[in-house]
């Protein structure tokens, strides 16, 4: 792992005030973050939050409207070719030649990234083994299962040994066995010093895999840090979601009288509260709301997590 | 260049793994050719034309002369139209006919009287075959008239001087003199002293000449056009499979990637050119001139067509529109540009348009190279124009791919 003066690993991806617009629509709005060598950085957010657009700007597929993106010390706009030579991308959708075999796909994608001769052959063999595809290496990809295709899609991104790995929701539609294998491979790449930028909307995946995280919504980064940093934002409070019908004014008055309780979202039929020891105080809260005329149909208590943090920050569910 | 070769290898492998597509694009021209041969036979298609006849004499002899032009098989090719001299000249000016025959007043008297008779034949310079045939017939008629004058001119002159039907004694005397004439010349004509040797190719070759000269280049043109069209659609497969987008985030430039695709297809066109030469030489027993140039031309013209088809594909907003647009274009080009039907089977005005379509122009040049009629300057100019147009199209396609299509 490369160190900056022997201290913290240097930033391999540097994103400063990144902004990308499509006409009047703002897809990414002033995103700033860094990802260091050997680090897995998770970019979390619901569909349409701007995660994929951010990845596309970093990979050079899209040109930012403003801001600056550097990869391995190269500006992705001005020194695009040099920047792209350091990158391996596993796109969200499969990007493979299905008529070709796994080995031929790896040979092609490794070749266009600059590998040749013995080095290319060696890397193909290593990568096939790493992803458990050596037995089907000569078979046309179109005969592979979905999970195998996913693994090969990922393998094509790492065959040339990139410094930066951009993984855009690589586990979507993957069976549990393949998912475990993929996540282990991501960790392995990071251990080898690869800088990994990982987008997902699976919170549990991000919690177990990522060293640092950024939460994105409506094109903006709304929080970033380690998992511990982010949990601290929420504190020890639990998340209580209630469904039912009520009169808003009377319920708000009832809630105002309770201590250590914050209203995160107040809808006509759904109410989200952050409360210390919500599970222990649940009966008291329900009684108070019942006394204020509410008809409660359901109650859910969640422990502090990235999911609850997301709700805390945006007032909405991650999968909305 | 290494990257372009790598991309070309990838595409050649993909082509090889999809032999059905290749078979369809190459098989279609063969099917069409077989269908056309079944429809029209192996002989060259008959030309059709109009002969305007301005008969100012109005005698039996002038009617006989006029009918001579439409006798037997000639009648299937030539339609005679009676016109006045003025109308005939006007319609010839408009290019409506193959020739105008003017039979002047006093023609029969001149023929029967042993004098000088003049037939005027105005031909259409924009047509090659029919006017030539009409000139031949006119010359035969002139020769025939001279021999008739020499042999029985005196009798004819006497009969023409009579008003009304000749008396029976005169007809009987004329018949006897004809019989004596036959006895005198019989030794020469039965058996003929002079053997008439027909200078025509043997019957097998007679069948292959039209196929080689008309259908065969069209088949090659159709194969190239369909391959250019078929593999242009691959750009949408690359886009929808995500491989094009993935390529853009590698250090490979769009020029290298597109260059690789053209190298692969160029190799395929080269094989088509070689196969065409082999078929011409060994299957059709036809002479194919400028063999190397023919193969090069098939490659260059094919790549130009492919780039044009690519541009059509990527100009469309979605795959459905792209396919509809490309289908309409390729069928129109195939029909007009001589790929389905040789220009000789089209009306002259349509053939004139067809020769200026991209594939029609390429086909004309190909035929020139195959039959050896193209000169060095013409060939060099054709290659220069094709290379320049292809270069422009390459730049356009590459730019549009990177800036618009890939996203």
């Amino acid at each position: 792992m490369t160190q900056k003066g022997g201290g913290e690993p240097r930033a391999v991806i540097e994103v400063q005030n990144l902004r990308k617009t499509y006409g009047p629509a703002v897809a990414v709005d002033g995103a700033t973050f860094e990802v260091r060598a050997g680090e897995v950085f998770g970019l979390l957010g619901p569909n349409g939050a701007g995660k994929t657009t951010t990845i596309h700007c970093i990979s050079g597929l899209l040109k930012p409207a403003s801001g600056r993106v550097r990869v391995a010390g190269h500006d992705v706009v001005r020194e695009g070719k040099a920047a792209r030579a350091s990158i391996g991308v596993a796109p969200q959708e499969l990007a493979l030649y299905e008529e070709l075999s796994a080995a031929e796909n790896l040979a092609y994608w490794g070749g266009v990234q600059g590998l040749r001769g013995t080095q290319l052959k060696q890397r193909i063999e290593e990568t096939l083994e790493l992803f458990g595809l050596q037995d089907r290496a000569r078979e046309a990809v179109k005969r592979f299962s979905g999970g195998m295709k996913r693994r090969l899609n990922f393998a094509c991104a790492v065959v040339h040994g990139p410094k930066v790995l951009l993984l855009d929701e690589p586990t979507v539609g993957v069976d549990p066995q393949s998912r475990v294998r993929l996540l282990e491979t991501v960790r392995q790449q990071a251990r080898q010093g690869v800088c990994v930028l990982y987008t997902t909307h699976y919170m549990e995946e991000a919690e177990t895999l990522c060293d640092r995280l950024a939460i994105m919504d409506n094109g903006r980064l709304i929080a970033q840090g380690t998992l511990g940093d982010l949990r601290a934002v929420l504190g020890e409070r639990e998340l209580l979601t209630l469904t039912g019908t009520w009169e808003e004014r009377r319920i708000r008055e009832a809630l105002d009288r309770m201590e250590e309780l914050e209203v995160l979202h107040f809808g006509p039929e759904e109410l989200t509260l952050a409360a210390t020891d919500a599970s222990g105080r649940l009966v008291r809260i329900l009684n108070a709301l019942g006394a204020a005329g509410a008809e409660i149909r359901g109650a859910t208590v969640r422990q502090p997590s990235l999911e609850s943090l997301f709700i805390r920050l945006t007032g909405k569910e991650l999968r909305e | 260049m290494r990257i372009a070769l790598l991309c070309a290898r990838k595409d050649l492998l993909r082509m090889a793994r999809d032999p059905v597509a290749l078979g369809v694009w190459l098989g279609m021209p063969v099917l069409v050719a077989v269908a056309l041969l079944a429809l029209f036979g192996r002989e060259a298609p008959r030309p059709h034309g109009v002969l305007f006849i301005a008969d100012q004499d109005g005698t039996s002899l002038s009617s006989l002369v006029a009918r001579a032009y439409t006798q037997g098989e000639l009648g299937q090719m030539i339609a005679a139209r009676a016109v006045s001299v003025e109308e005939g000249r006007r319609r010839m000016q408009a290019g409506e006919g193959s020739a105008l025959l003017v039979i002047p007043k006093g023609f029969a008297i001149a023929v029967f009287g042993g004098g000088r008779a003049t037939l005027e034949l105005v031909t259409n310079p924009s047509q090659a075959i029919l006017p030539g045939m009409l000139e031949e017939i006119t010359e035969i008629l002139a020769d025939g008239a001279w021999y008739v004058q020499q042999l029985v001119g005196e009798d004819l002159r006497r009969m023409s001087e009579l008003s009304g039907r000749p008396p029976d004694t005169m007809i009987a005397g004329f018949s006897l003199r004809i019989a004596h004439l036959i006895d005198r010349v019989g030794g020469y004509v039965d058996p003929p002293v002079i053997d008439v040797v027909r200078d025509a190719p043997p019957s097998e070759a007679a069948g292959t000449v039209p196929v080689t000269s008309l259908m065969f280049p069209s088949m090659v043109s159709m194969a190239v056009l369909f391959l250019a069209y078929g593999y242009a659609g691959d750009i949408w497969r690359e886009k929808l499979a995500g491989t094009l987008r993935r390529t853009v985030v590698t250090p490979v430039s769009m020029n290298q990637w597109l260059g690789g695709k053209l190298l692969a297809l160029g190799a395929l066109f080269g094989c088509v050119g070689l196969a065409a030469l082999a078929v011409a030489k060994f299957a059709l027993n036809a002479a194919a001139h400028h063999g190397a140039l023919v193969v090069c031309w098939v490659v260059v013209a094919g790549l130009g067509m492919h780039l044009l088809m690519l541009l059509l594909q990527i100009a469309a907003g979605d795959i459905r529109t792209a396919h509809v647009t490309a289908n309409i274009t390729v069928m129109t080009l195939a029909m007009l540009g001589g790929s389905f039907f040789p220009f000789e089977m089209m009306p002259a005005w349509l053939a004139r348009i067809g020769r200026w379509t991209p594939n029609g122009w390429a086909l004309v040049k190909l035929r020139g190279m195959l039959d050896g009629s193209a000169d060095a300057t013409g060939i060099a100019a054709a290659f220069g124009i094709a290379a320049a147009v292809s270069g422009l199209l390459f730049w356009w396609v590459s730019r549009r791919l990177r800036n618009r299509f890939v996203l």
Side-chain angles (χ1 to χ4, degrees), chain A residues 56 59-62 81 84-85 89 94-97 99 104 108-109 111-113 116 153 156-157, chain B residues 2-3 6-7 10 13-14 17 238 241-243 245-252 257 402 406-407:
Chain A
H56 285 171
S59 67
L61 183 63
L62 291 176
K81 193 173 174 182
R84 291 196 300 274
V89 182
L94 293 172
L96 300 167
Y97 290 107
E99 311 91 332
E104 285 165 345
Y108 174 69
W109 293 112
V112 296
Q113 288 282 2
R116 58 205 299 185
N153 195 43
C156 290
Chain B
R2 188 187 73 84
I3 296 291
L6 192 70
C7 295
K10 173 259 299 177
L13 279 173
R14 293 176 64 225
R17 301 283 157 78
E238 292 258 17
T243 46
R245 188 173 275 207
R246 190 170 206 161
T247 301
V248 173
V249 297
T250 67
V252 171
W257 186 80
R402 178 66 186 90
V406 76
L407 298 175

Side-chain angles (χ1 to χ4, degrees), chain B residues 35-163:
Chain B
L36 285 177
L37 285 174
L39 201 62
F40 296 104
R42 284 171 67 87
E43 289 179 7
R46 286 174 190 281
H48 292 277
V50 175
L51 171 67
F52 296 122
I53 299 174
D55 185 358
Q56 294 177 311
D57 195 35
T59 60
S60 304
L61 182 64
S62 67
S63 299
L64 271 173
V65 168
R67 279 203 293 275
Y69 288 88
T70 54
Q71 290 301 304
E73 289 197 14
L74 205 57
Q76 294 171 19
M77 289 186 263
I78 295 171
R81 301 272 184 277
V83 291
S84 66
V85 177
E86 292 73 23
E87 185 191 356
R89 292 195 197 285
R90 183 175 51 74
R91 293 181 72 174
M92 284 300 291
Q93 282 291 329
E96 294 176 22
S98 300
L100 165 66
L101 176 71
V102 180
I103 305 174
K105 193 160 181 60
F107 172 74
I109 292 169
V111 170
F112 292 146
R116 188 177 180 82
T118 305
L119 281 177
E120 185 185 355
L121 185 73
V122 182
T123 56
N124 185 341
S126 70
Q127 294 182 12
I129 300 171
L130 286 175
M133 290 169 70
L134 293 169
E135 280 176 19
E136 290 282 333
I137 292 164
T138 311
E139 281 175 18
I140 290 167
L141 282 174
D143 289 346
W146 185 81
Y147 285 115
V148 168
Q149 274 189 344
Q150 297 306 310
L151 294 170
V152 291
E154 189 56 37
D155 290 306
L156 286 173
R157 196 159 39 250
R158 278 209 303 273
M159 278 196 274
S160 68
E161 285 165 2
L162 294 172
S163 56

Side-chain angles (χ1 to χ4, degrees), chain A residues 136-158:
Chain A
R136 311 277 297 270
R138 314 288 160 206
E139 199 175 316
V141 172
K142 62 185 169 195
R143 288 198 282 271
F144 281 16
S145 67
M148 287 173 70
K149 285 180 184 173
R150 276 276 160 204
R151 269 145 58 194
L152 180 62
N153 195 43
F154 192 173
C156 290
V158 301

Side-chain angles (χ1 to χ4, degrees), chain A residues 10 48 63 80 153 163 165 168 176 180 187 218 235 257 284 294:
Chain A
R10 66 177 171 81
K63 197 174 171 184
N153 195 43
K163 289 180 186 168
L165 200 47
D168 191 7
V180 169
R187 284 190 202 95
N218 290 328
R257 285 195 290 273
R284 230 175 336 136

